[in-house]
Protein backbone atom coordinates (compact mmCIF):
# COMPACT_ATOMS: atom_id res chain seq x y z
CA UNK A 1 0.00 0.00 0.00
CA UNK A 2 1.13 3.50 -0.79
CA UNK A 3 1.53 5.90 2.10
CA UNK A 4 1.65 9.66 2.59
CA UNK A 5 5.43 9.69 2.08
CA UNK A 6 5.07 8.17 -1.39
CA UNK A 7 2.58 10.87 -2.37
CA UNK A 8 4.80 13.58 -0.86
CA UNK A 9 7.72 12.39 -2.98
CA UNK A 10 5.59 12.18 -6.13
CA UNK A 11 5.29 15.90 -6.68
CA UNK A 12 2.82 16.53 -9.54
CA UNK A 13 2.63 12.78 -10.22
CA UNK A 14 -0.01 11.50 -7.80
CA UNK A 15 -2.04 10.29 -10.80
CA UNK A 16 0.77 7.82 -11.55
CA UNK A 17 0.64 6.49 -7.98
CA UNK A 18 -3.16 6.30 -8.16
CA UNK A 19 -2.87 4.07 -11.23
CA UNK A 20 0.13 1.95 -10.25
CA UNK A 21 -0.18 -1.77 -9.80
CA UNK A 22 1.61 -3.37 -6.84
CA UNK A 23 2.50 -7.03 -7.34
CA UNK A 24 4.17 -9.71 -5.25
CA UNK A 25 6.98 -10.69 -7.63
CA UNK A 26 8.62 -10.14 -11.00
CA UNK A 27 6.75 -13.02 -12.66
CA UNK A 28 3.41 -11.47 -11.75
CA UNK A 29 4.58 -8.03 -12.88
CA UNK A 30 5.53 -9.12 -16.40
CA UNK A 31 2.99 -11.92 -16.98
CA UNK A 32 1.06 -10.04 -19.69
CA UNK A 33 4.10 -8.46 -21.34
CA UNK A 34 5.00 -9.38 -24.90
CA UNK A 35 8.35 -7.59 -24.67
CA UNK A 36 10.59 -7.44 -21.59
CA UNK A 37 13.68 -5.26 -21.72
CA UNK A 38 16.32 -5.27 -19.00
CA UNK A 39 18.79 -2.57 -18.07
CA UNK A 40 22.39 -3.55 -17.45
CA UNK A 41 25.67 -1.66 -17.36
CA UNK A 42 27.90 -4.72 -17.29
CA UNK A 43 28.61 -7.38 -19.90
CA UNK A 44 26.90 -10.74 -19.34
CA UNK A 45 27.96 -14.32 -19.92
CA UNK A 46 24.88 -15.20 -21.99
CA UNK A 47 24.23 -13.16 -25.09
CA UNK A 48 21.12 -11.02 -25.06
CA UNK A 49 20.60 -8.57 -27.88
CA UNK A 50 21.79 -5.20 -26.55
CA UNK A 51 20.12 -2.08 -27.91
CA UNK A 52 21.16 1.53 -27.45
CA UNK A 53 18.68 3.58 -25.46
CA UNK A 54 18.05 5.72 -28.55
CA UNK A 55 16.43 2.70 -30.27
CA UNK A 56 14.02 2.07 -27.42
CA UNK A 57 11.25 4.09 -29.08
CA UNK A 58 11.40 2.05 -32.26
CA UNK A 59 11.58 -1.30 -30.51
CA UNK A 60 8.75 -0.63 -28.04
CA UNK A 61 6.42 1.05 -30.52
CA UNK A 62 3.68 -1.31 -31.71
CA UNK A 63 4.84 -4.25 -29.58
CA UNK A 64 1.95 -4.76 -27.21
CA UNK A 65 2.62 -4.46 -23.50
CA UNK A 66 6.28 -3.76 -22.76
CA UNK A 67 8.02 -4.06 -19.40
CA UNK A 68 11.33 -2.45 -18.53
CA UNK A 69 13.25 -4.14 -15.70
CA UNK A 70 15.63 -2.16 -13.51
CA UNK A 71 17.93 -3.77 -10.99
CA UNK A 72 18.83 -2.43 -7.59
CA UNK A 73 21.49 0.27 -7.09
CA UNK A 74 24.23 -2.04 -5.88
CA UNK A 75 24.09 -5.15 -8.07
CA UNK A 76 21.68 -4.48 -10.93
CA UNK A 77 19.58 -7.29 -12.36
CA UNK A 78 20.42 -10.86 -11.39
CA UNK A 79 20.93 -13.51 -14.07
CA UNK A 80 17.59 -15.02 -13.03
CA UNK A 81 15.86 -11.66 -13.63
CA UNK A 82 17.70 -11.22 -16.93
CA UNK A 83 16.30 -14.60 -17.98
CA UNK A 84 12.91 -12.93 -18.41
CA UNK A 85 14.31 -10.34 -20.83
CA UNK A 86 14.10 -10.36 -24.61
CA UNK A 87 16.65 -7.57 -24.94
CA UNK A 88 18.94 -5.39 -22.84
CA UNK A 89 19.22 -1.60 -22.99
CA UNK A 90 22.55 0.12 -22.93
CA UNK A 91 22.76 3.74 -21.80
CA UNK A 92 26.17 5.09 -22.85
CA UNK A 93 28.19 6.55 -19.99
CA UNK A 94 31.74 7.57 -19.23
CA UNK A 95 33.85 4.36 -19.15
CA UNK A 96 35.38 5.49 -15.85
CA UNK A 97 31.90 5.46 -14.29
CA UNK A 98 29.99 2.85 -16.32
CA UNK A 99 26.75 2.69 -14.34
CA UNK A 100 24.07 5.23 -13.53
CA UNK A 101 22.12 5.46 -10.32
CA UNK A 102 18.63 4.03 -10.55
CA UNK A 103 16.84 7.39 -10.63
CA UNK A 104 18.95 8.66 -13.54
CA UNK A 105 18.46 5.45 -15.53
CA UNK A 106 14.70 5.50 -14.95
CA UNK A 107 14.52 9.15 -15.98
CA UNK A 108 16.35 8.52 -19.27
CA UNK A 109 14.22 5.48 -20.10
CA UNK A 110 10.98 7.32 -19.23
CA UNK A 111 11.95 10.19 -21.51
CA UNK A 112 12.58 7.81 -24.41
CA UNK A 113 9.28 6.04 -23.78
CA UNK A 114 7.42 9.36 -23.64
CA UNK A 115 8.42 9.94 -27.24
CA UNK A 116 6.66 6.85 -28.57
CA UNK A 117 3.74 7.45 -30.89
CA UNK A 118 0.35 6.67 -29.38
CA UNK A 119 -0.65 4.76 -32.52
CA UNK A 120 -0.39 1.02 -32.03
CA UNK A 121 -0.38 -1.68 -34.70
CA UNK A 122 -2.84 -4.41 -33.78
CA UNK A 123 -0.89 -7.03 -35.78
CA UNK A 124 1.82 -7.15 -33.11
CA UNK A 125 -0.63 -7.96 -30.32
CA UNK A 126 -0.22 -11.66 -31.10
CA UNK A 127 3.25 -11.98 -29.55
CA UNK A 128 3.45 -14.57 -26.79
CA UNK A 129 3.35 -12.92 -23.39
CA UNK A 130 5.68 -13.74 -20.51
CA UNK A 131 3.22 -16.04 -18.79
CA UNK A 132 2.78 -18.12 -21.96
CA UNK A 133 6.54 -18.28 -22.42
CA UNK A 134 7.14 -19.34 -18.81
CA UNK A 135 4.63 -22.18 -19.17
CA UNK A 136 6.37 -23.22 -22.39
CA UNK A 137 9.83 -23.16 -20.73
CA UNK A 138 8.55 -25.31 -17.86
CA UNK A 139 6.97 -27.76 -20.30
CA UNK A 140 10.14 -27.84 -22.44
CA UNK A 141 12.36 -28.44 -19.40
CA UNK A 142 10.14 -31.30 -18.26
CA UNK A 143 10.19 -33.02 -21.66
CA UNK A 144 13.90 -32.67 -22.33
CA UNK A 145 14.62 -34.11 -18.89
CA UNK A 146 12.24 -37.02 -19.50
CA UNK A 147 13.92 -37.76 -22.85
CA UNK A 148 17.35 -37.58 -21.14
CA UNK A 149 18.45 -34.80 -23.48
CA UNK A 150 19.70 -32.94 -20.44
CA UNK A 151 21.05 -34.23 -17.18
CA UNK A 152 20.61 -32.59 -13.79
CA UNK A 153 24.23 -31.38 -13.89
CA UNK A 154 23.79 -29.15 -16.95
CA UNK A 155 20.04 -28.49 -17.00
CA UNK A 156 20.27 -24.86 -15.85
CA UNK A 157 22.88 -23.95 -18.45
CA UNK A 158 20.95 -25.56 -21.31
CA UNK A 159 17.63 -24.04 -20.22
CA UNK A 160 19.23 -20.57 -19.93
CA UNK A 161 20.53 -20.89 -23.48
CA UNK A 162 17.17 -22.11 -24.78
CA UNK A 163 15.40 -19.30 -22.95
CA UNK A 164 17.73 -16.75 -24.56
CA UNK A 165 17.06 -18.31 -27.95
CA UNK A 166 13.28 -18.03 -27.62
CA UNK A 167 13.44 -14.57 -26.01
CA UNK A 168 15.43 -13.29 -29.02
CA UNK A 169 12.96 -14.90 -31.43
CA UNK A 170 9.92 -13.26 -29.78
CA UNK A 171 7.50 -15.97 -30.93
CA UNK A 172 3.82 -15.40 -31.52
CA UNK A 173 1.31 -16.86 -29.07
CA UNK A 174 0.14 -19.22 -31.84
CA UNK A 175 3.72 -20.44 -32.39
CA UNK A 176 4.13 -21.18 -28.68
CA UNK A 177 0.82 -23.08 -28.81
CA UNK A 178 2.20 -25.19 -31.69
CA UNK A 179 5.42 -25.90 -29.79
CA UNK A 180 3.47 -26.85 -26.67
CA UNK A 181 1.35 -29.17 -28.83
CA UNK A 182 4.52 -30.85 -30.11
CA UNK A 183 5.81 -31.24 -26.54
CA UNK A 184 2.48 -32.73 -25.46
CA UNK A 185 2.63 -35.18 -28.38
CA UNK A 186 6.15 -36.24 -27.34
CA UNK A 187 5.03 -36.53 -23.71
CA UNK A 188 2.22 -38.93 -24.68
CA UNK A 189 4.68 -41.18 -26.51
CA UNK A 190 7.01 -41.44 -23.50
Amino acid sequence: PLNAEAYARATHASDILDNCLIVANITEAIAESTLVIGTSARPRQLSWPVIPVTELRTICDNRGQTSILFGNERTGLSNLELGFCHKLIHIPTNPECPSLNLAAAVQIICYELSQISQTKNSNDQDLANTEELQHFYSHLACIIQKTSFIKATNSNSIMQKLTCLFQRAQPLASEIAILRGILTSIERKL
Side-chain angles (χ1 to χ4, degrees):
L2 299 171
N3 58 27
E5 182 182 358
Y7 282 94
R9 291 179 181 266
T11 306
H12 305 296
S14 60
D15 60 320
I16 293 172
L17 291 180
D18 291 339
N19 292 303
C20 76
L21 175 65
I22 299 172
V23 296
N25 56 51
I26 192 171
T27 307
E28 190 179 334
I30 62 173
E32 296 299 316
S33 298
T34 55
L35 178 63
V36 179
I37 301 174
T39 56
S40 184
R42 58 190 162 124
R44 299 298 180 144
Q45 191 172 12
L46 294 174
S47 59
W48 281 269
V50 178
I51 59 170
V53 70
T54 53
E55 291 182 24
L56 186 60
R57 297 177 214 177
T58 306
I59 289 169
C60 291
D61 198 14
N62 300 321
R63 292 291 181 117
Q65 184 168 324
T66 300
S67 292
I68 310 289
L69 299 183
F70 295 91
N72 66 43
E73 291 272 354
R74 195 173 61 78
T75 60
L77 292 170
S78 69
N79 285 336
L80 178 66
E81 292 164 334
L82 285 170
F84 292 109
C85 299
H86 298 98
K87 300 177 185 300
L88 295 181
I89 295 173
H90 173 69
I91 301 172
T93 59
N94 182 330
E96 292 177 18
C97 185
S99 65
L100 298 171
N101 71 27
L102 181 59
V106 170
Q107 205 169 24
I108 291 168
I109 299 302
C110 286
Y111 172 77
E112 289 296 327
L113 293 174
S114 75
Q115 303 304 303
I116 293 176
S117 163
Q118 297 303 311
T119 308
K120 297 291 178 193
N121 180 350
S122 61
N123 293 337
D124 289 329
Q125 298 299 318
D126 296 325
L127 291 173
N129 66 36
T130 302
E131 185 174 32
E132 292 164 331
L133 288 171
Q134 292 306 311
H135 288 300
F136 167 68
Y137 298 144
S138 295
H139 197 176
L140 179 61
C142 178
I143 297 304
I144 62 179
Q145 284 176 351
K146 283 182 179 179
T147 61
S148 299
F149 177 78
I150 59 174
K151 307 284 185 260
T153 55
N154 68 344
S155 64
N156 285 342
S157 174
I158 297 291
M159 281 311 299
Q160 284 179 333
K161 289 177 181 177
L162 288 171
T163 298
C164 283
L165 168 73
F166 284 103
Q167 296 291 63
R168 282 193 310 269
Q170 289 191 276
L172 299 175
S174 60
E175 293 168 333
I176 290 298
I178 291 168
L179 290 171
R180 298 253 352 242
I182 293 168
L183 292 174
T184 300
S185 176
I186 293 168
E187 195 169 27
R188 287 184 187 138
K189 298 287 184 186
L190 295 175

